[in-house]
Amino acid sequence: MTDLTGKVAVVTGSARGIGKAVALRYASLGARVVVNYFGDDQVAGSTVAECRAAGGEAIAVKADVSKVEDIERLYRSTREQFGRIDIVVANAGFEIVDQPVLEATEEQFDRIFAVNTKGAFFTLQKGAKYVADGGRLILIGSSSTASPVPGTGLYSSSKMAARQLVRVLAAEMIERSVTVNTILPAPTDGAGVFTDLAQDAPEHEFFARIRFGQRLGRPDDVADAAEYFAGDLASYVSGQSLLLSGGAIV
């Protein structure tokens, strides 16, 4: 079992969905967790309470990852509260799907790239600066960067830049023994555009035909991978992308 006792983990966009699952998992393994969020204070507070109930210390820090000054404040607040940073999970982002490239607008482009590209870049860049030697940097990417999917031109291209950044940053962090890796979740029930997916939605039937367990992915599947990358078993793994698709070809 992974032991994160004494480790400090910053998880962006972790009030709900995949980020919440990762934060809860780390807390259950003994980590002190910083729940970053941008929206609802009450939802973030509830996640903090769940992290504490799971066995870890936790605080919430409101910060917009599309603003570098907010990212700096997020890390500053973490160090002021806990004294160090050991794990950073760059998860914050949002999706625009079923959007043909020919219909994409400049406003949509600016919005999604501000969070998914700029936000991820500076979360990882500043995280690399402040993380302790031997630490972990983890990007939550998207399976849509693994193969072209119609309707995801804006989304997948906004995610691809950070995926390449992980490979470069991994090489640059070797001397400090900091690993840098990416998790590529396929469509996940309870996250992103599938956050409120009804149990009788046709997506369930479709994915049941092509996935292990005949189901959509779940946030805990991503938390499993995030646990691995954060733990000792992954200490010699860096610059890698782990596709979580349940065996589906994407």
Side-chain angles (χ1 to χ4, degrees):
M1 182 176 178
T2 306
D3 184 5
L4 299 182
T5 302
K7 301 291 186 182
V8 177
V10 177
V11 186
T12 66
S14 54
R16 64 185 76 211
I18 286 173
K20 177 180 179 179
V22 173
L24 287 173
R25 178 65 59 82
Y26 287 169
S28 73
L29 298 171
R32 294 171 285 176
V33 179
V34 176
V35 174
N36 162 249
Y37 71 106
F38 178 63
D40 193 314
D41 295 347
Q42 186 173 355
V43 172
S46 177
T47 299
V48 166
E50 289 185 56
C51 286
R52 291 172 177 167
E57 295 182 55
I59 62 170
V61 178
K62 191 171 188 175
D64 180 354
V65 300
S66 71
K67 299 177 180 177
V68 176
E69 61 268 28
D70 275 25
I71 296 172
E72 286 278 17
R73 179 169 52 79
L74 168 63
Y75 288 131
R76 184 169 62 250
S77 297
T78 300
R79 288 179 291 140
E80 288 173 353
Q81 179 69 29
F82 294 126
R84 59 184 291 125
I85 299 171
D86 300 284
I87 304 162
V88 172
V89 181
N91 168 75
F94 76 97
E95 296 178 72
I96 298 176
V97 298
D98 296 329
Q99 172 71 80
V101 171
L102 295 183
E103 297 176 8
T105 67
E106 182 180 11
E107 180 182 8
Q108 289 175 321
F109 179 96
D110 289 345
R111 183 183 175 211
I112 199 167
F113 272 76
V115 176
N116 293 359
T117 307
K118 178 183 176 183
F121 183 96
F122 285 104
T123 296
L124 292 172
Q125 182 211 56
K126 303 299 180 183
K129 178 180 178 181
Y130 298 123
V131 74
D133 290 354
R136 304 285 191 265
L137 303 177
I138 303 166
L139 169 71
I140 306 299
S142 168
S143 66
S144 66
T145 63
S147 63
V149 179
T152 67
L154 273 177
Y155 177 65
S156 60
S157 57
S158 73
K159 286 287 194 176
M160 183 60 86
R163 183 178 172 184
Q164 177 64 11
L165 170 66
V166 163
R167 299 174 65 192
V168 175
L169 191 55
E172 294 181 354
M173 298 298 289
I174 285 175
E175 291 186 3
R176 291 181 51 204
S177 299
V178 173
T179 67
V180 193
N181 292 290
T182 304
I183 301 169
L184 304 176
T188 301
D189 192 8
V193 296
F194 296 105
T195 296
D196 298 311
L197 190 66
Q199 289 303 308
D200 60 351
E203 287 85 354
H204 288 291
E205 181 179 354
F206 171 75
F207 287 112
R209 297 196 299 268
I210 62 173
R211 299 277 195 96
F212 290 143
Q214 297 184 321
R215 63 172 175 81
L216 273 166
R218 297 170 183 148
D220 274 345
D221 296 322
V222 186
D224 288 342
E227 176 182 339
Y228 167 69
F229 280 134
D232 291 341
L233 291 177
S235 62
Y236 201 63
V237 179
S238 195
Q240 302 304 304
S241 295
L242 178 58
L243 177 63
L244 301 183
S245 67
I249 298 173
V250 297

